[in-house]
Amino acid sequence: GQNIDQPTEMTATEGAIVQINCTYQTSGFNGLFWYQQHAGEAPTFLSYNVLDGLEEKGRFSSFLSRSKGYSYLLLKELQMKDSASYLCAVRDSNYQLIWGAGTKLIIKP
Amino acid sequence: DAGITQSPRYKITETGRQVTLMCHQTWSHSYMFWYRQDLGHGLRLIYYSAAADITDKGEVPDGYVVSRSKTENFPLTLESATRSQTSVYFCASSESPDSSYEQYFGPGTRLTVT
């Protein structure tokens, strides 16, 4: 079966750095997405990786290792507004997105 | 307004009733999707559509019906609502399922079946 694992919840301090991991086992791989979802709102796109390596976008970076079935999202200089759930999704061989259950990130002052 | 909208935003219905959730997008995206989101689960695909008059089942289609007579609209109907269909429903659209094209999500409909 297809499976995407993320930690359920993480806590970090304002101004710090946090890494959210995602491991996946899917039938085929056509890219990995990270989305942010604030409570009661829709998911919004953060990043996309299809080749191994690091993609940087301002305070957010995303890393992919296809051989290990592993990705992480790195958030730097954490702000209170970064308190949200972070969703990992893999596009499989049928070009459908398979979603993890999300990681709830709590930022403390 | 440009973008993707859903209506209603909140709905309470009784078991056995038929209910339709609406989704409208203004980008002329070819692909549209319906997901449900439940605590402890990732988003789960109910149905998707590659173009007008082309729809296909996702992971959890049972109890749902979709249609797409126009590119911009993709309604989801629960034919006879059950308590297990209490959930938050998101509609999404995308230019293409390929490559880096991300999906854009509507604001969601919170449905409660009593």
Side-chain angles (χ1 to χ4, degrees):
Chain A
Q2 307 203 88
N3 194 49
I4 297 185
D5 286 319
Q6 307 177 233
T8 303
E9 188 174 294
M10 299 181 70
T11 302
T13 305
E14 190 177 16
I17 299 173
V18 71
Q19 179 175 310
I20 302 173
N21 295 326
C22 171
T23 58
Y24 63 88
Q25 291 178 310
T26 56
S27 55
F29 179 85
N30 285 295
L32 184 144
F33 293 80
W34 284 96
Y35 279 74
Q36 181 189 58
Q37 185 177 26
H38 285 100
E41 296 184 9
T44 55
F45 171 76
L46 284 179
S47 70
Y48 170 77
N49 294 71
V50 67
L51 299 176
D52 291 351
L54 189 69
E55 293 283 341
E56 297 187 81
K57 257 189 188 183
R59 294 189 300 114
F60 292 8
S61 303
S62 56
F63 172 83
L64 174 67
S65 169
R66 288 172 296 170
S67 62
K68 295 182 179 178
Y70 168 69
S71 173
Y72 68 72
L73 181 70
L74 192 72
L75 291 73
K76 302 176 186 175
E77 302 169 13
L78 285 169
Q79 302 174 11
M80 297 303 294
K81 67 178 182 179
D82 297 329
S83 292
S85 289
Y86 292 85
L87 314 181
C88 174
V90 172
R91 181 167 277 153
D92 69 8
S93 56
N94 294 319
Y95 289 91
Q96 298 304 327
L97 286 181
I98 309 302
W99 296 81
T103 298
K104 183 178 180 180
L105 179 62
I106 299 168
I107 310 294
K108 296 187 174 179
Chain B
D1 285 353
I4 183 166
T5 57
Q6 293 183 235
S7 62
R9 294 294 312 279
Y10 301 90
K11 177 75 177 177
I12 300 174
T13 192
E14 296 177 342
T15 300
R17 289 194 181 266
Q18 182 181 81
V19 60
T20 296
L21 310 183
M22 304 301 293
C23 178
H24 176 78
Q25 53 104 355
T26 61
W27 295 304
S28 299
H29 283 170
S30 296
Y31 285 81
M32 296 187 75
F33 309 84
W34 273 107
Y35 292 96
R36 59 178 291 173
Q37 187 175 42
D38 305 289
L39 275 175
H41 291 275
L43 288 160
R44 289 183 290 176
L45 183 65
I46 304 170
Y47 270 95
Y48 67 99
S49 170
D53 297 322
I54 301 174
T55 63
D56 209 347
K57 296 178 180 179
E59 179 187 355
V60 289
D62 293 345
Y64 304 95
V65 174
V66 294
S67 61
R68 195 163 176 210
S69 57
K70 292 184 178 180
T71 299
E72 61 266 30
N73 296 324
F74 191 38
L76 176 73
T77 297
L78 287 67
E79 295 184 295
S80 177
T82 65
R83 290 198 181 91
S84 64
Q85 292 177 310
T86 292
S87 187
V88 180
Y89 291 85
F90 287 103
C91 178
S93 73
S94 174
E95 285 188 66
S96 166
D98 299 335
S99 188
S100 65
Y101 290 104
E102 75 256 33
Q103 293 182 11
Y104 296 86
F105 284 80
T109 295
R110 186 173 294 272
L111 176 68
T112 302
V113 183
T114 62

Short mmCIF file of all heavy atoms in Angstrom, two decimals, chain A residues 33 35 37 41-43 45 48 87 91 95-97 99-101, chain B residues 35 37 42-43 45 48 90 97-103 105-106:
data_model
loop_
_atom_site.label_atom_id
_atom_site.label_comp_id
_atom_site.label_asym_id
_atom_site.label_seq_id
_atom_site.Cartn_x
_atom_site.Cartn_y
_atom_site.Cartn_z
N PHE A 33 5.40 17.43 -2.55
CA PHE A 33 4.92 18.77 -2.25
C PHE A 33 4.85 18.97 -0.74
O PHE A 33 4.56 18.03 0.01
CB PHE A 33 3.51 18.99 -2.80
CG PHE A 33 3.42 19.00 -4.29
CD1 PHE A 33 3.42 17.81 -5.01
CD2 PHE A 33 3.31 20.19 -4.98
CE1 PHE A 33 3.32 17.82 -6.40
CE2 PHE A 33 3.21 20.21 -6.36
CZ PHE A 33 3.22 19.02 -7.07
N TYR A 35 2.73 21.59 1.84
CA TYR A 35 1.69 22.60 1.96
C TYR A 35 1.61 23.04 3.42
O TYR A 35 1.90 22.27 4.33
CB TYR A 35 0.32 22.04 1.56
CG TYR A 35 0.05 21.99 0.07
CD1 TYR A 35 0.66 21.05 -0.74
CD2 TYR A 35 -0.84 22.89 -0.51
CE1 TYR A 35 0.40 21.01 -2.11
CE2 TYR A 35 -1.11 22.86 -1.87
CZ TYR A 35 -0.48 21.91 -2.66
OH TYR A 35 -0.74 21.88 -4.01
N GLN A 37 -1.10 24.61 6.27
CA GLN A 37 -2.53 24.76 6.53
C GLN A 37 -2.75 25.34 7.92
O GLN A 37 -2.51 24.67 8.91
CB GLN A 37 -3.25 23.41 6.39
CG GLN A 37 -4.76 23.53 6.52
CD GLN A 37 -5.48 22.21 6.33
OE1 GLN A 37 -4.93 21.15 6.57
NE2 GLN A 37 -6.74 22.28 5.89
N GLU A 41 -8.46 26.69 7.82
CA GLU A 41 -8.26 27.26 6.48
C GLU A 41 -7.86 26.19 5.48
O GLU A 41 -7.67 25.02 5.83
CB GLU A 41 -7.18 28.35 6.55
CG GLU A 41 -7.59 29.53 7.42
CD GLU A 41 -6.56 30.63 7.41
OE1 GLU A 41 -5.60 30.58 6.61
OE2 GLU A 41 -6.71 31.57 8.20
N ALA A 42 -7.73 26.60 4.22
CA ALA A 42 -7.34 25.68 3.16
C ALA A 42 -5.83 25.50 3.14
O ALA A 42 -5.07 26.40 3.54
CB ALA A 42 -7.80 26.22 1.82
N PRO A 43 -5.35 24.35 2.65
CA PRO A 43 -3.90 24.18 2.44
C PRO A 43 -3.41 25.16 1.37
O PRO A 43 -4.11 25.41 0.38
CB PRO A 43 -3.78 22.74 1.96
CG PRO A 43 -5.04 22.07 2.37
CD PRO A 43 -6.10 23.13 2.33
N PHE A 45 0.20 26.07 -0.99
CA PHE A 45 1.45 25.49 -1.51
C PHE A 45 2.66 26.17 -0.92
O PHE A 45 2.73 27.40 -0.84
CB PHE A 45 1.45 25.62 -3.03
CG PHE A 45 2.74 25.27 -3.69
CD1 PHE A 45 3.12 23.95 -3.83
CD2 PHE A 45 3.57 26.27 -4.18
CE1 PHE A 45 4.31 23.63 -4.46
CE2 PHE A 45 4.75 25.96 -4.80
CZ PHE A 45 5.14 24.64 -4.95
N TYR A 48 8.03 22.39 -3.81
CA TYR A 48 7.96 21.21 -4.67
C TYR A 48 9.37 20.70 -4.91
O TYR A 48 10.28 21.47 -5.21
CB TYR A 48 7.31 21.58 -6.00
CG TYR A 48 7.39 20.54 -7.08
CD1 TYR A 48 6.55 19.44 -7.04
CD2 TYR A 48 8.29 20.65 -8.13
CE1 TYR A 48 6.60 18.46 -8.03
CE2 TYR A 48 8.34 19.69 -9.13
CZ TYR A 48 7.49 18.60 -9.07
OH TYR A 48 7.54 17.65 -10.05
N LEU A 87 1.74 19.80 5.63
CA LEU A 87 1.30 18.58 4.96
C LEU A 87 2.31 18.19 3.89
O LEU A 87 2.69 19.02 3.05
CB LEU A 87 -0.07 18.80 4.28
CG LEU A 87 -1.15 19.49 5.10
CD1 LEU A 87 -2.43 19.59 4.27
CD2 LEU A 87 -1.42 18.77 6.40
N ARG A 91 3.25 12.77 -5.35
CA ARG A 91 2.53 12.48 -6.58
C ARG A 91 2.97 11.10 -7.05
O ARG A 91 4.16 10.89 -7.33
CB ARG A 91 2.82 13.56 -7.62
CG ARG A 91 2.09 13.38 -8.93
CD ARG A 91 2.18 14.63 -9.76
NE ARG A 91 1.18 15.61 -9.39
CZ ARG A 91 1.33 16.93 -9.55
NH1 ARG A 91 2.45 17.42 -10.03
NH2 ARG A 91 0.36 17.75 -9.20
N TYR A 95 -0.16 9.99 -11.07
CA TYR A 95 -0.19 11.46 -10.96
C TYR A 95 -1.24 11.94 -9.97
O TYR A 95 -1.72 13.07 -10.07
CB TYR A 95 -0.37 12.13 -12.33
CG TYR A 95 0.86 11.99 -13.18
CD1 TYR A 95 1.03 10.92 -14.03
CD2 TYR A 95 1.89 12.92 -13.07
CE1 TYR A 95 2.19 10.77 -14.78
CE2 TYR A 95 3.05 12.79 -13.81
CZ TYR A 95 3.20 11.71 -14.67
OH TYR A 95 4.34 11.58 -15.38
N GLN A 96 -1.60 11.08 -9.01
CA GLN A 96 -2.47 11.50 -7.92
C GLN A 96 -1.61 11.87 -6.73
O GLN A 96 -0.55 11.27 -6.50
CB GLN A 96 -3.44 10.37 -7.55
CG GLN A 96 -4.38 9.95 -8.65
CD GLN A 96 -5.20 11.10 -9.19
OE1 GLN A 96 -5.56 12.03 -8.47
NE2 GLN A 96 -5.49 11.06 -10.47
N LEU A 97 -2.08 12.84 -5.94
CA LEU A 97 -1.38 13.22 -4.72
C LEU A 97 -1.80 12.31 -3.58
O LEU A 97 -3.00 12.15 -3.31
CB LEU A 97 -1.67 14.68 -4.37
CG LEU A 97 -0.99 15.74 -5.22
CD1 LEU A 97 -1.35 17.13 -4.73
CD2 LEU A 97 0.53 15.57 -5.19
N TRP A 99 -1.42 12.00 0.46
CA TRP A 99 -1.15 12.97 1.51
C TRP A 99 -0.80 12.32 2.84
O TRP A 99 -1.42 11.31 3.22
CB TRP A 99 -2.37 13.86 1.72
CG TRP A 99 -2.72 14.68 0.55
CD1 TRP A 99 -3.42 14.29 -0.56
CD2 TRP A 99 -2.39 16.06 0.34
NE1 TRP A 99 -3.53 15.34 -1.44
CE2 TRP A 99 -2.91 16.44 -0.91
CE3 TRP A 99 -1.69 17.01 1.09
CZ2 TRP A 99 -2.76 17.73 -1.43
CZ3 TRP A 99 -1.56 18.30 0.58
CH2 TRP A 99 -2.08 18.65 -0.67
N GLY A 100 0.16 12.90 3.53
CA GLY A 100 0.37 12.56 4.92
C GLY A 100 -0.69 13.21 5.79
O GLY A 100 -1.41 14.11 5.33
N ALA A 101 -0.77 12.78 7.04
CA ALA A 101 -1.78 13.31 7.96
C ALA A 101 -1.44 14.71 8.47
O ALA A 101 -2.29 15.36 9.08
CB ALA A 101 -1.98 12.35 9.13
N TYR B 35 -11.65 16.49 -2.11
CA TYR B 35 -11.02 15.77 -1.02
C TYR B 35 -11.90 15.88 0.22
O TYR B 35 -12.64 16.83 0.40
CB TYR B 35 -9.67 16.39 -0.64
CG TYR B 35 -8.57 16.25 -1.65
CD1 TYR B 35 -8.30 17.28 -2.56
CD2 TYR B 35 -7.77 15.13 -1.68
CE1 TYR B 35 -7.26 17.17 -3.46
CE2 TYR B 35 -6.72 15.01 -2.58
CZ TYR B 35 -6.47 16.05 -3.47
OH TYR B 35 -5.44 15.94 -4.36
N GLN B 37 -11.20 15.79 4.51
CA GLN B 37 -10.14 15.84 5.52
C GLN B 37 -10.73 15.53 6.88
O GLN B 37 -11.63 16.22 7.36
CB GLN B 37 -9.47 17.21 5.54
CG GLN B 37 -8.24 17.29 6.45
CD GLN B 37 -7.52 18.61 6.36
OE1 GLN B 37 -8.13 19.67 6.31
NE2 GLN B 37 -6.18 18.57 6.33
N GLY B 42 -4.75 11.97 6.33
CA GLY B 42 -4.39 12.95 5.33
C GLY B 42 -5.60 13.27 4.49
O GLY B 42 -6.66 12.65 4.61
N LEU B 43 -5.46 14.25 3.62
CA LEU B 43 -6.51 14.51 2.65
C LEU B 43 -6.74 13.26 1.82
O LEU B 43 -5.77 12.64 1.36
CB LEU B 43 -6.10 15.67 1.73
CG LEU B 43 -6.09 17.05 2.39
CD1 LEU B 43 -5.22 18.01 1.60
CD2 LEU B 43 -7.51 17.58 2.47
N LEU B 45 -8.69 11.63 -1.53
CA LEU B 45 -9.33 12.01 -2.78
C LEU B 45 -10.63 11.24 -2.97
O LEU B 45 -10.68 10.00 -2.88
CB LEU B 45 -8.37 11.71 -3.94
CG LEU B 45 -8.84 12.10 -5.33
CD1 LEU B 45 -8.99 13.63 -5.45
CD2 LEU B 45 -7.84 11.60 -6.39
N TYR B 48 -12.09 13.07 -9.02
CA TYR B 48 -11.40 14.12 -9.74
C TYR B 48 -11.92 14.18 -11.18
O TYR B 48 -12.61 13.27 -11.65
CB TYR B 48 -9.87 13.92 -9.70
CG TYR B 48 -9.36 12.71 -10.44
CD1 TYR B 48 -8.84 12.82 -11.72
CD2 TYR B 48 -9.37 11.46 -9.82
CE1 TYR B 48 -8.36 11.71 -12.38
CE2 TYR B 48 -8.88 10.34 -10.48
CZ TYR B 48 -8.37 10.47 -11.75
OH TYR B 48 -7.88 9.37 -12.41
N PHE B 90 -12.80 19.69 0.79
CA PHE B 90 -12.05 20.68 0.02
C PHE B 90 -12.12 20.37 -1.46
O PHE B 90 -11.92 19.23 -1.88
CB PHE B 90 -10.57 20.71 0.44
CG PHE B 90 -10.33 21.33 1.78
CD1 PHE B 90 -10.08 20.55 2.89
CD2 PHE B 90 -10.32 22.72 1.91
CE1 PHE B 90 -9.85 21.13 4.13
CE2 PHE B 90 -10.08 23.31 3.14
CZ PHE B 90 -9.85 22.51 4.25
N PRO B 97 -1.97 17.69 -13.99
CA PRO B 97 -1.51 16.83 -12.90
C PRO B 97 -0.02 16.58 -12.99
O PRO B 97 0.56 15.96 -12.11
CB PRO B 97 -2.27 15.53 -13.17
CG PRO B 97 -2.38 15.47 -14.66
CD PRO B 97 -2.56 16.90 -15.09
N ASP B 98 0.61 17.07 -14.04
CA ASP B 98 2.01 16.76 -14.29
C ASP B 98 2.95 17.75 -13.62
O ASP B 98 2.56 18.84 -13.24
CB ASP B 98 2.31 16.79 -15.80
CG ASP B 98 1.50 15.77 -16.55
OD1 ASP B 98 1.08 14.77 -15.92
OD2 ASP B 98 1.27 15.98 -17.74
N SER B 99 4.17 17.34 -13.52
CA SER B 99 5.28 18.20 -13.15
C SER B 99 5.01 18.99 -11.88
O SER B 99 4.47 18.47 -10.93
CB SER B 99 5.59 19.13 -14.33
OG SER B 99 6.78 19.85 -14.09
N SER B 100 5.36 20.21 -11.86
CA SER B 100 5.34 20.99 -10.63
C SER B 100 4.03 21.73 -10.41
O SER B 100 3.93 22.50 -9.47
CB SER B 100 6.48 22.01 -10.65
OG SER B 100 6.27 22.94 -11.69
N TYR B 101 3.04 21.50 -11.24
CA TYR B 101 1.80 22.25 -11.09
C TYR B 101 1.14 21.89 -9.76
O TYR B 101 0.74 20.75 -9.55
CB TYR B 101 0.83 21.93 -12.23
CG TYR B 101 1.28 22.49 -13.56
CD1 TYR B 101 1.84 21.68 -14.52
CD2 TYR B 101 1.13 23.85 -13.83
CE1 TYR B 101 2.24 22.18 -15.75
CE2 TYR B 101 1.53 24.37 -15.05
CZ TYR B 101 2.09 23.53 -16.00
OH TYR B 101 2.49 24.04 -17.20
N GLU B 102 1.03 22.88 -8.90
CA GLU B 102 0.41 22.60 -7.61
C GLU B 102 -1.10 22.67 -7.73
O GLU B 102 -1.65 23.17 -8.71
CB GLU B 102 0.89 23.59 -6.55
CG GLU B 102 0.29 24.99 -6.66
CD GLU B 102 1.24 25.99 -7.23
OE1 GLU B 102 2.07 25.61 -8.09
OE2 GLU B 102 1.16 27.15 -6.79
N GLN B 103 -1.76 22.16 -6.70
CA GLN B 103 -3.21 22.26 -6.62
C GLN B 103 -3.56 23.47 -5.75
O GLN B 103 -2.93 23.71 -4.72
CB GLN B 103 -3.80 20.98 -6.03
CG GLN B 103 -3.62 19.78 -6.95
CD GLN B 103 -4.23 18.51 -6.40
OE1 GLN B 103 -4.97 18.52 -5.43
NE2 GLN B 103 -3.94 17.40 -7.05
N PHE B 105 -6.50 25.23 -3.49
CA PHE B 105 -7.63 24.74 -2.72
C PHE B 105 -8.66 25.84 -2.46
O PHE B 105 -8.30 27.00 -2.22
CB PHE B 105 -7.15 24.18 -1.38
CG PHE B 105 -6.51 22.84 -1.49
CD1 PHE B 105 -5.19 22.72 -1.90
CD2 PHE B 105 -7.22 21.69 -1.20
CE1 PHE B 105 -4.60 21.48 -2.02
CE2 PHE B 105 -6.64 20.44 -1.32
CZ PHE B 105 -5.33 20.33 -1.73
N GLY B 106 -9.92 25.43 -2.46
CA GLY B 106 -10.98 26.30 -1.98
C GLY B 106 -10.97 26.37 -0.47
O GLY B 106 -10.22 25.64 0.18
#
